[in-house]
Amino acid sequence: MQHKHLVRKASGVSEPFSQRKLESSLRKAGASEENISIIVKDIIGWIHEGVTTQKIYARAFQLLRKLRGGTAARYKLKKAIMELGPTGFPFEHFVGELMKAEGYSVKTGQLMQGICVQHEVDVVATNSSTQCLMECKYHNSPDKISNVQVPLYIRSRMNDIIDRIKNNPELKGLNFEGWVVTNTRFSEDAISYGLCSGLKMMSWDFPANNALKDRIEKHHLFPVTSLTRLSVKQKQLLMEAGIVLCRQIQDNQHEIAKLGLTPTKRKRLMEEVRDLSL
């Protein structure tokens, strides 16, 4: 349903507020129809001309958090990925965990010699048939887009490495793929070049039905930044300890003990973790 109010997107473009889009995003997050109705009614009564989509999202998230914490964490997934910063290091580990969930053995931060020079590869993921050499491009703002220069640069680096390792007898029988993964978006030219050159590409919403957001939902690999029961500082402490996934918390109770949570807060945290791991 379209409403007369114009809302402003992160790109600065204005468009009519869409109740249908809001309902769809809440439904994908696992909110019940009853809670969706409550939140949408509130937003419609509050919305005003020129309000940003970020503010609409923030209000919907706060309402959802009050109704059900685990669902709220799912709703803020895109923002949570951006909160993995300030460096790209946690994002690299997050991508590595994603590849592990898809059956690969994974190493991160690897130095690999090419024909011409040595390169640092963010993620090296290997299964019985393929080795993926992956560059991760992390951004902490949704308006940051990877243009065609990114895949051009990465394709040349990956070619230099692959031209050397393809003759390695220890890797005989493997296919080699160069990858670039970003938590935001690629420009149209970047996608066109990637598809043409054989570079594998994954962004928040590309490729369709197998994008970053789809894979996260499929494997229930929610980052610790999704959690609503921890402060920013507490989440940062977990990431510094190498914990980037909610499901890793259950096996690292000694790190949780360092956060100074009361028994009640710790119980609520674990309830949210279990909800996100289902």
Side-chain angles (χ1 to χ4, degrees):
M1 184 183 299
Q2 299 290 338
H3 292 262
K4 63 180 180 179
H5 293 298
L6 291 177
V7 298
R8 186 157 44 88
K9 301 171 66 176
S11 63
V13 175
S14 293
E15 66 178 18
F17 168 68
S18 172
Q19 179 179 326
R20 178 183 56 79
K21 287 183 179 179
L22 176 60
E23 290 173 341
S24 177
S25 66
L26 291 167
R27 196 169 286 117
K28 286 179 180 178
S32 67
E33 293 301 317
E34 180 182 1
N35 286 346
I36 290 173
S37 178
I38 292 171
I39 294 169
V40 169
K41 183 178 180 180
D42 177 273
I43 295 294
I44 290 175
W46 163 85
I47 197 170
H48 52 278
E49 191 74 15
V51 67
T52 63
T53 52
Q54 291 97 324
K55 287 186 177 179
I56 295 173
Y57 156 81
R59 186 177 181 90
F61 169 66
Q62 290 300 326
L63 290 167
L64 193 54
R65 181 180 181 181
K66 292 178 182 178
L67 295 168
R68 189 179 177 208
T71 303
R74 283 186 168 90
Y75 186 64
K76 66 167 289 192
L77 177 59
K78 187 174 185 179
K79 183 180 179 184
I81 295 296
M82 291 181 182
E83 290 174 350
L84 283 172
T87 69
F89 182 71
F91 182 60
E92 294 168 16
H93 279 262
F94 183 80
V95 172
E97 292 297 329
L98 193 63
M99 296 303 287
K100 285 181 185 178
E102 300 195 346
Y104 291 82
S105 61
V106 170
K107 295 180 180 179
T108 57
Q110 297 296 295
L111 290 175
M112 301 186 71
Q113 182 64 46
I115 292 290
C116 302
V117 296
Q118 190 178 64
H119 306 266
E120 183 172 359
V121 181
D122 294 333
V123 178
V124 180
T126 310
N127 64 15
S128 59
S129 62
T130 306
Q131 185 167 91
C132 306
L133 310 178
M134 309 177 79
E135 178 86 3
C136 299
K137 291 296 181 183
Y138 163 80
H139 301 292
N140 58 10
S141 175
D143 59 355
K144 298 292 185 181
I145 297 176
S146 295
N147 62 27
V148 70
Q149 297 300 321
V150 172
L152 277 167
Y153 167 65
I154 293 172
R155 178 74 276 176
S156 65
R157 291 183 63 223
M158 298 310 175
N159 284 348
D160 188 40
I161 298 170
I162 292 170
D163 285 346
R164 181 181 178 88
I165 64 175
K166 66 183 180 183
N167 296 318
N168 186 334
E170 294 181 2
L171 302 175
K172 185 177 180 181
L174 288 179
N175 296 312
F176 300 99
E177 296 178 347
W179 280 68
V180 56
V181 183
T182 183
N183 62 312
T184 56
R185 295 172 49 238
F186 295 113
S187 69
E188 290 186 10
D189 281 350
I191 292 174
S192 295
Y193 176 80
L195 293 173
C196 179
S197 68
L199 184 67
K200 300 290 184 177
M201 305 179 74
M202 179 166 55
S203 71
W204 177 251
D205 55 6
F206 180 87
N209 301 318
N210 201 25
L212 183 61
K213 63 180 180 181
D214 301 310
R215 296 183 188 216
I216 293 171
E217 288 281 358
K218 176 183 177 182
H219 299 294
H220 303 282
L221 295 184
F222 292 90
V224 293
T225 44
S226 300
L227 296 167
T228 65
R229 302 294 182 181
L230 294 179
S231 68
V232 172
K233 184 178 180 179
Q234 288 169 330
K235 295 172 188 177
Q236 195 65 44
L237 288 172
L238 290 178
M239 288 189 287
E240 289 172 2
I243 300 171
V244 294
L245 299 177
C246 291
R247 64 169 56 173
Q248 291 176 307
I249 288 176
Q250 299 184 61
D251 298 323
N252 290 275
Q253 291 295 315
H254 59 287
E255 295 295 341
I256 299 303
K258 297 177 183 179
L259 301 181
L261 300 174
T262 65
T264 299
K265 288 184 177 180
R266 185 164 178 166
K267 179 182 177 182
R268 289 175 178 171
L269 169 64
M270 296 312 298
E271 287 174 350
E272 187 176 26
V273 167
R274 284 191 291 272
D275 189 37
L276 286 170
S277 301
L278 295 176

